[in-house]
Amino acid sequence: MRAWGWILYGVLAAIGLAGFFLRFATGHQLAGYGSYVPWGLWVAAYIYFIGLSAGAFLLSALVYVFGVRRLEPIAPLALVVALASLLMALITIWFDLGHLERFYYVYLRPNFRSMMAWMVWLYTAYGLLLLSELYFALRRHLPRYADRRGVTGLLARLLTGGRKTPFTQEEIHRDEGILRVLGTIGVPLAIAFHGGVGALFGTVVAQDLWHSPIYPILFLTGALLSGGALMTAVYVFFWPRKDGQWKELSLLLGRVVLGLILFDLLLEWAEYSIPMWYGVGSEFKALWNTLFGPFWYVYWVFHILLGVVVPVLLLLWGVRGRLGAIGLASFLVAVTFLAIRLNLVIPSLVHPKLEGLVHAYHDHRLTFVYFPTWFEWSVVVFSVVLGFTVTYVLVRILPVIEGRLLKEVA
């Protein structure tokens, strides 16, 4: 990584660590949410990160389950990104808990009627599956590093039992079979936990904006789009070998991202146009407030302009051979997708359900006005820095890129 990259990383790490320590020192006191708006930026970021993980995993499943060999070079990297994104999501929602130390209660005191408990169990199974897939995807390359010193050599000896002889074709074929089985289990699991997040919102009858049968589908397409765009941006900008295969695969990924943007936009048109068609009702007012209220720019500038219009134009230009345009468009889509998650979580909560409630009680925590504080943003930055660090370290110490370490390919 270049010097400016390390400087940016250091600045973000300092901001993130400040948020981390303030979270433990002050609890929720510095956050902008309260009793009327109990969910804010952290819940939106959690949904966003878990979508990135599901999207990256489903990209790897195209290789290990459906045999799309053109995507094979990035499949192990997709598993690493999926694992890091899962960690980002869980650490972010963990900070949102009132009692951080009680997180394990969901295992020791299970409530089988709780949708949130089922989500935690699905995430646990998904995390274990990601680790297993990564192990079987990489272990064929580890014997060549068994004699090395350092972390790479230590991991190679631990994960292969000290083996130094190369894997035979029969053993590699057996590992590919195991990967196919794990991926086959993982596809419905990823659909279940991310569609389940959509169902978690969709089943809340008291929130008009969330109570929609289309939410599980929207969450899945959103995961494919944001996760696919993230993997495309990472591949175009950071893949160490810029050869013909890189160009061909970048063009393919660019076309996929373009198609997913248009499909996701079609579903979003249905999400907004149907409830707003007759211009009446509480759902209409909430959606109108999302589009033309005080935070209109989140939808029109960050989502529509920077997350749809500009990326589509860049991708139409990029598929003609401008790979930098594909990378930039995918980066914009991946980053600005957080605006969609913010517009999903917050507008419904800041819209009072009982007329006059806003004037009934008076306290600084009893307000329907919400804007994320710098403290909330710093905690999200901590999660992002943590995810980047995990990804970078794994790529440095394990043969993730074409069966070799990053420094051997660069």
Side-chain angles (χ1 to χ4, degrees):
M1 195 159 61
R2 297 179 180 177
W4 64 266
W6 284 115
I7 293 173
L8 178 62
Y9 175 82
V11 171
L12 292 176
I15 295 172
L17 286 173
F20 177 83
F21 287 114
L22 283 173
R23 172 62 185 88
F24 284 96
T26 66
H28 294 263
Q29 294 180 15
L30 299 177
Y33 49 78
S35 297
Y36 290 159
V37 185
W39 289 356
L41 173 64
W42 294 345
V43 174
Y46 145 71
I47 302 168
Y48 168 66
F49 292 142
I50 208 70
L52 293 179
S53 179
F57 170 77
L58 291 174
L59 189 64
S60 75
L62 291 176
V63 177
Y64 297 131
V65 179
F66 301 104
V68 183
R69 293 299 173 190
R70 291 180 67 183
L71 297 174
E72 193 168 13
I74 61 171
L77 181 61
L79 290 174
V80 170
V81 171
L83 189 64
S85 301
L86 176 66
L87 179 63
M88 291 159 63
L90 296 182
I91 200 78
T92 303
I93 200 63
W94 183 57
F95 286 130
D96 194 67
L97 297 178
H99 291 276
L100 302 174
E101 74 284 0
R102 298 180 183 175
F103 74 93
Y104 63 90
Y105 280 18
V106 74
Y107 299 105
L108 300 183
R109 303 176 183 179
N111 179 359
F112 296 101
R113 298 185 63 184
S114 167
M115 183 68 78
M116 288 190 180
W118 278 102
M119 297 306 303
V120 174
W121 300 331
L122 287 172
Y123 290 149
T124 305
Y126 173 64
L128 293 174
L129 184 135
L130 282 176
L131 288 172
S132 300
E133 272 207 72
L134 198 56
Y135 169 70
F136 284 105
L138 300 182
R139 75 166 183 167
R140 74 193 68 174
H141 309 294
L142 292 176
R144 79 174 69 140
Y145 301 102
D147 288 330
R148 292 201 179 189
R149 295 179 178 178
V151 178
T152 300
L154 177 63
L155 286 174
R157 291 188 291 275
L158 285 176
L159 295 175
T160 61
R163 175 172 178 162
K164 299 179 181 178
T165 56
F167 275 62
T168 65
Q169 284 300 318
E170 183 180 354
E171 290 173 316
I172 293 174
H173 183 70
R174 185 182 60 197
D175 281 0
E176 288 176 347
I178 295 173
L179 280 170
R180 193 176 305 112
V181 172
L182 291 173
T184 304
I185 297 171
V187 169
L189 190 61
I191 291 173
F193 78 70
H194 201 57
V197 177
L200 190 148
F201 279 84
T203 53
V204 181
V205 181
Q207 298 292 340
D208 297 330
L209 282 185
W210 298 348
H211 190 51
S212 169
I214 200 175
Y215 262 32
I217 306 301
L218 268 174
F219 271 64
L220 287 175
T221 56
L224 286 170
L225 173 57
S226 59
L230 176 64
M231 284 304 306
T232 303
V234 169
Y235 184 70
V236 171
F237 287 133
F238 299 108
W239 195 254
R241 193 190 303 281
K242 304 290 194 297
D243 53 11
Q245 185 186 43
W246 167 78
K247 182 177 180 180
E248 184 182 346
L249 189 50
S250 297
L251 290 171
L252 172 64
L253 291 171
R255 294 188 184 98
V256 171
V257 172
L258 178 60
L260 287 171
I261 290 176
L262 298 177
F263 183 66
D264 192 66
L265 196 62
L266 178 66
L267 292 178
E268 191 177 335
W269 168 254
E271 180 195 6
Y272 277 77
S273 63
I274 294 174
M276 297 186 73
W277 192 255
Y278 291 108
V280 294
S282 58
E283 194 173 358
F284 166 78
K285 291 179 181 177
L287 288 173
W288 183 271
N289 192 54
T290 301
L291 298 179
F292 304 109
F295 302 110
W296 60 270
Y297 54 87
V298 177
Y299 183 85
W300 294 108
V301 176
F302 289 103
H303 172 36
I304 295 298
L305 179 62
L306 297 178
V308 176
V309 177
V310 173
V312 166
L313 294 175
L314 285 172
L315 286 168
L316 289 174
W317 187 38
V319 293
R320 298 179 180 179
R322 302 288 184 178
L323 302 186
I326 292 177
L328 178 59
S330 301
F331 173 76
L332 285 173
V333 171
V335 172
T336 60
F337 211 83
L338 179 59
I340 296 179
R341 298 316 188 202
L342 286 168
N343 273 335
L344 186 151
V345 174
I346 297 171
S348 183
L349 295 174
V350 299
H351 186 67
K353 305 298 180 295
L354 294 176
E355 192 173 346
L357 179 61
V358 67
H359 303 297
Y361 305 97
H362 297 280
D363 187 88
H364 73 284
R365 307 294 287 180
L366 298 178
T367 174
F368 285 97
V369 178
Y370 170 72
F371 190 85
T373 63
W374 67 269
F375 161 66
E376 292 172 74
W377 283 109
S378 65
V379 170
V380 173
V381 168
F382 174 82
S383 299
V384 172
V385 171
L386 179 65
F388 172 81
T389 304
V390 169
T391 303
Y392 185 74
V393 168
L394 288 179
V395 171
R396 294 279 300 184
I397 65 173
L398 291 174
V400 175
I401 309 295
E402 299 177 347
R404 289 180 286 178
L405 305 180
L406 179 61
K407 63 182 179 182
E408 295 175 333
V409 184

